[in-house]
Amino acid sequence: MPRPSEPAAPSVPPGRSQIPLWITIPFTLYAGVLVPIYWRDYGPANFLWFCDMGMLMTLAGLWLNSPLLISIEAIALALPQTVWIVDFVSGGRLIGISHYMFESGIPLFTRLISTFHIWLPILLVWLIWQIGYDRRAVWIQSIIAAAVLIASYLLSDPRHPPTGYPDVAVNVNRVYGVHTTDVQHWMPPLAFLALHILFWPLCVYLPTHLIFRKAFREPAHGSDSSPATIAPQVVGER
């Protein structure tokens, strides 16, 4: 008798966890709503915010089942978004990074879909608990952050805000000053940018990496190693 055909090879390497579709598909639908709404109200430069780029990079990580991409975003967003949540609970008064969530001039639906700041860091930490934390993430995210901050400096000058968007982002990732619409004058602009580039890896990514390295296992064999799986990312506040 002819032998039955052998089952198809699994799409995920043996020993590596598969991210379930019940997470990936709703996340994709959510992003499909968020992107056009944000583009309409805030403008394309708004997607340089670390948090918004993080949403898109997480989407790629889910579909690629990539511990590396998920780890990059966990490093990028876990601590900053925790601070965002604390500020949000205070009504945007503690630090002010979530104050826009309480501005009546921004459409309510736009503010409602911004609540991903609350659940995305929780999801990312849960995912690295499930599939492992890739130790390379801290170095890759540090490089990505430097590139994103330079791009934010070049593309979101608050002194020359673009027109056509109701709530356009004019100081993305606060590279011109601590407020999202102002320019600081107490030090040269490039020196302020350089401080930003140093701040994120030293004060945010490295401490988070040290915690994750102790708390989470490494991904099983078959983890990402190809540079093609490493795409530029985006924490921020919108």
Side-chain angles (χ1 to χ4, degrees):
M1 290 181 62
R3 296 178 63 185
S5 58
E6 295 186 1
S11 58
V12 179
R16 183 164 155 205
S17 301
Q18 172 71 60
I19 299 173
L21 286 177
W22 62 263
I23 292 176
T24 303
I25 290 177
F27 193 100
T28 303
L29 296 174
Y30 191 96
V33 173
L34 180 143
V35 169
I37 296 295
Y38 268 30
W39 190 293
R40 180 197 69 190
D41 290 345
Y42 298 141
N46 195 78
F47 291 97
L48 288 170
W49 281 105
F50 287 136
C51 56
D52 296 343
M53 283 189 70
M55 170 69 101
L56 300 179
M57 283 280 283
T58 301
L59 178 62
L62 292 175
W63 281 107
L64 294 173
N65 201 71
S66 169
L68 179 57
L69 291 181
I70 298 299
S71 297
I72 288 171
E73 289 317 310
I75 279 284
L77 299 183
L79 179 56
Q81 294 300 271
T82 299
V83 174
W84 189 98
I85 293 168
V86 172
D87 187 68
F88 177 74
V89 171
S90 77
R93 293 184 293 270
L94 184 63
I95 302 174
I97 59 175
S98 67
H99 69 89
Y100 63 93
M101 293 291 286
F102 304 94
E103 292 181 5
S104 58
I106 298 176
L108 178 61
F109 185 71
T110 304
R111 286 180 281 151
L112 286 174
I113 60 174
S114 292
T115 53
F116 76 87
H117 293 82
I118 298 171
W119 54 262
L120 182 55
I122 299 171
L123 174 64
L124 287 166
V125 171
W126 181 83
L127 285 170
I128 61 173
W129 177 64
Q130 291 290 316
I131 65 178
Y133 168 63
D134 194 313
R135 273 59 174 161
R136 299 171 293 173
V138 63
W139 313 115
I140 296 170
Q141 173 56 24
S142 296
I143 295 170
I144 290 172
V148 170
L149 290 169
I150 292 170
S152 300
Y153 184 85
L154 296 175
L155 298 175
S156 67
D157 188 342
R159 296 166 297 188
H160 308 287
T163 58
Y165 301 97
D167 301 287
V168 63
V170 293
N171 184 15
V172 173
N173 293 313
R174 304 174 189 269
V175 291
Y176 281 91
V178 295
H179 301 293
T180 55
T181 56
D182 298 336
V183 178
Q184 61 82 29
H185 298 287
W186 53 278
M187 67 187 306
L190 290 179
F192 189 78
L193 175 62
L195 281 180
H196 253 291
I197 292 172
L198 291 174
F199 168 81
W200 287 98
L202 294 179
C203 300
V204 178
Y205 305 147
L206 185 57
T208 306
H209 165 75
L210 295 176
I211 294 171
F212 285 177
R213 188 176 64 180
K214 288 192 174 293
F216 303 110
R217 62 177 174 84
E218 293 190 59
H221 65 280
S223 168
D224 313 76
S225 58
S226 169
T229 64
I230 306 173
Q233 170 245 350
V234 170
V235 169
E237 283 93 26
R238 273 194 176 166

